[in-house]
Amino acid sequence: MQTICAFDRLIPGRGVAALLGDGTQVAVFRLLDDSLFAVSNRDPFMHANVISRGLVGDRGGEPVVVSPLLKQAFSLASGACLDDASAALEVYAVEVIDGEVRVGARAEVEAVA
Amino acid sequence: MSKLVVIGDGMVGRRFLEAVVQRDPSWDVTVLAEEPRPAYDRVRLSAFFDGVGAEELSLASDLPGVDVRLGEPATSVDREARVVRSERGEYAYDKLVFATGSYAFVPPVAGADLDGVFVYRTIEDLEAIRARAAGRRHGVVIGGGLLGLEAANALNLLGLETRIVEFAPWLMARQLDEAGGGVLKQHIEKLGITVDCGTGATAIEAVDGRLRMATNRDDLVLDTDLIVFAAGVRPRDQLARECGIAVGERGGITTDLACRTSDPDVYAIGEVAAMEGVCYGLVAPGYAMAEVVADRLAGGEATFPGADMSTKLKLLGVDVAQFGAFDGPLATTYLDPAGGTYAKLVLSDDAATLLGGMLVGNAEPYPLLRASVGGKVPGALADLLSSGEVEGTLPDAAQVCSCNAVTKGRIMGAIAEGCCDVAELKACTKAGTSCGSCVPMLKQLLAEGGVEVSKAVCEHFTQSRAELFDIVKVTGITTFSELIARHGTGAGCDLCKPAVASILASLGGGHILEGEQAALQDTNDHFLANLQRNGTYSVVPRIPGGEITPDRLIVIGEVAKEFDLYTKITGGQRIDMFGARVEDLPKIWRRLVDAGFESGHAYGKALRTVKSCVGTDWCRYGVQDSVKMAIDLELRYRGLRSPHKLKSAVSGCARECAEARSKDFGVIATEHGWNLYVGGNGGFTPRHADLLLSDVDSETLVRTIDRFLMFYISTADRLQRTSKWVEGLEGGLDYLREVVVDDRLGICAELDALMEQHVANYADEWKGVIDDPEKLQRFVSFVNAPEAPDPSIEFETVRGQKFPAGTTARSHAQPVLLGTPERK
Ligand code: SRM
Ligand SMILES: Cc1cc2nc3c(=O)[nH]c(=O)nc-3n(C[C@H](O)[C@H](O)[C@H](O)COP(=O)(O)OP(=O)(O)OC[C@H]3O[C@@H](n4cnc5c(N)ncnc54)[C@H](O)[C@@H]3O)c2cc1C
Ligand code: SF4
Ligand code: FES
């Protein structure tokens, strides 16, 4: 897990991008209820690293981010694309410790737990 | 090539030419036209007095291969030699079509040829009436039928005290019975127009620059300033008569159901035709004839399908309609003299079939009733007659749009194929495109066809955008979270958030990235720039009216060079710089703001550009200063957030170099001021803007645009451009004019105040960012590495400039249509 920024730095209802040590880009979102989600930043359709700039909200209760390029919605929880079953985002682990946001690959978290 | 000659370029002639060119463009067509201008919409002729110019009424269309010879009437036809002659030439034909229409009938009254006596048929007639009316007070219309009432309405509009003299015992005697005519008279008199029925003019004489008209009532001698004859029309069959073609007993060129005259190579269509002895004085049957002959010329077998003579008109708010049979075996009536309504339904003797009827004062059930003629009476008779409320469904064969002969079946078919609003139905079936009286019916059929007309913004709000706008305005709610908590459900989405952000901004919500608003903005608004395919942004500074000094041009060049940006002149008369990295945006804008540039809002649903032509400053044709007006308008409305983007343009004369009529609001200079056009669109569904006002001064122009924009912003749907909004307004352009010019809803003061507030609160969005460290923090690629650029973004060079990597490969993946010139 890697610390990326202070929790307070995140705007409720918006995302930021973080660059991990291995060069992967992760999009981290803080929702209005202060819950956090992390998914890959790369848009699987246009291959640009912009998912962090998408709008968040819900579809039938499922929290989603909408790609700013061609507007497909992705589940923040599972990464699945709700408009095209063939595409999905990678999901990352995210937590807050001492007011700092930490992000890591899913596998890392499971190993720790 | 076979030669086709058409005599007359009126409404029907023009429709015929279009149909011929569409079906079989191989004809070599010559049109001899008496009038000095191409065909125009005679049905809407009276709109000329509402400020609708001749150009606006024009039906001129691009007709390849057709030689229209304006101002050159045919003078004779030689059927032996198969030529038509005019004073200027001789035109051979294989087929000849008469489309000469009618002339206004003037009864043989002494003095009918005096100055100040007019008819009501052409634009020139109306121009002459207007010139005569200037500075005078009184006018008389002879004739109380459809045409006479229109003429009276026009004189009334010109500010004359108006009197109608009608020979028949009541008004509109051809369409209404005595009771109906009586109720109509009440309405007309309430408008200040005097009506004398049962008498006619007997002589006119000139007295001291005015006119004195005697009638067959000794006690009725009228002193007046002008007289308009609207006493009926007669077919213009003279030429046909002279060359030996058969004409009917009561005039008109005799034809069969295929529009053939007594000479098999000669056809007659429109008002001049006496089809099986009947002349039709309406445009719809004429259009049907035009289609029949076009089909025949292409080898088809079409025949005239029969005519629906139903009429509906609205004069100064009085509805009158008549449909189907005028009288019959059984009739039920409803009369409310106090409320000013009268209704009559004509039924078969078993009361099972509707044969026709008439409505005065309230014509709401007209579309459904008209379409039900020949079928069951829709709904309960009593309700129908008293409240005008109707329900029930129509058979598929019922004709819904009689102007364009469209049946219900055709419309339901179009709906099944995916038409989902009135505008689409108009485009694909032509229904509703002429008189418009069937539009309410189209709406009903959309609902019947199961088209969701829900205006809900999204799954989180059941309200329409307009309703949310009202809620925000009335409650003063300033945040999305409060709005969704009180009036919606869930967490919101990419549909409702930007819509609400726009509403808050339109109502003066401060900087769009302030506080909670930041989370609502679409990503372009969030970064105040347009996102590109590779994750970089484009930068568009405002260049009001397209006018820019050399020094500022140099700044743009320097900035583009320093930050290595691709540059392009846009279609909006300004310059776009592409390929900016998100972390460079504030630095780029610091430079631009220091040089005096502001945000161009290319990213926002907001005012984009007001294009201009050079106008009086340089152009030899310019009649007003279009550049200054464009700059003034752009500065006034810059930053104004709206349901969709807004574009405008100002042209210095009617040549229209700024393409103002393709804009949401377009301004064209005239000798006397400005014409204002609204509801234009380029884009997916191009539409020319409609004339809202003509010849107004700058102040009236700006005030009207203020109101138009604020009315649009208050009531349009999410992502509805003004073109669709104007088309969807019930009552259309006239209604819009009543609201923003005549203040019919009493909301103009409020609209004015909203615009004042916008103008007073405007501040440049980019300046607001570069001066605010907290907002600047957001402009980074990575929250944990603010200085690092996104390493995945790469570029390549094409035509001497930078492009996203892969551009060349992408262009090769698609078919290459054009080669570049060989290099020497
Ligand atoms: C840059 C420019 C093309 C150019 O190189 O000339 C352009 C570029 C874009 N246009 Fe446009 N349009 C540009 C002039 C036009 C024009 C011509 C005009 O304004 O005179 C039209 C037709 C006129 C009209 O809007 O009625 C036009 C009709 C559209 C439409 C279709 C709108 C419609 O109602 O059908 C879209 C899509 C939309 O807005 O939903 C669109 C959308 C776009 C977007 C925003 C697409 C996007 O989301 O990426 C492009 C972004 C530009 C960028 O990243 O900076 N653009 N676009 C022009 C910018 C003008 C400016 O200075 O602001
Ligand atoms: C004020 C007004 C309101 C109306 N309202 C309605 C309405 O609400 N609904 C409706 O259905 N109808 C209405 N009408 C009637 C409608 O306008 C006519 O039915 C329609 O215009 C007929 O078309 P047309 O082509 O047959 O004749 P026109 O439109 O009259 O065209 C005939 C053309 O032929 C030209 N011409 C004649 N002789 C010659 C020649 N020798 N050589 C060359 N050219 C020649 C004429 O100058 C004219 O331009 C209205 C008419 C008027 C005047
Ligand atoms: S619209 Fe008229 S004034 Fe403007 S540039 Fe064109 S010709 Fe000149
Ligand atoms: S009935 Fe006139 S447009 Fe449809």
Side-chain angles (χ1 to χ4, degrees), chain B residues 382-395:
Chain B
D383 292 353
L384 241 169
L385 289 173
S386 56
S387 67
E389 271 169 30
V390 277
E391 49 184 67
T393 56
L394 292 172

Side-chain angles (χ1 to χ4, degrees), chain B residues 613-615 619 621-622 651-653 655-657:
Chain B
C613 74
V614 291
C619 179
Y621 294 119
S651 283
C653 83
R655 286 168 192 75
E656 242 284 74
C657 298

Side-chain angles (χ1 to χ4, degrees), chain B residues 198-256:
Chain B
T199 185
T202 49
I204 302 169
E205 55 181 332
V207 178
D208 300 336
R210 299 190 78 206
L211 298 167
R212 174 162 300 160
M213 185 179 109
T215 70
N216 27 22
R217 252 173 54 195
D218 290 344
D219 60 331
L220 191 67
V221 175
L222 299 170
D223 281 323
T224 186
D225 294 305
L226 66 91
I227 297 174
V228 178
F229 276 98
V233 298
R234 297 287 183 272
R236 296 190 65 176
D237 55 13
Q238 186 68 20
L239 215 52
R241 241 177 240 273
E242 285 166 8
C243 71
I245 288 175
V247 295
E249 261 169 51
R250 276 174 294 158
I253 304 174
T254 309
T255 77
D256 61 8

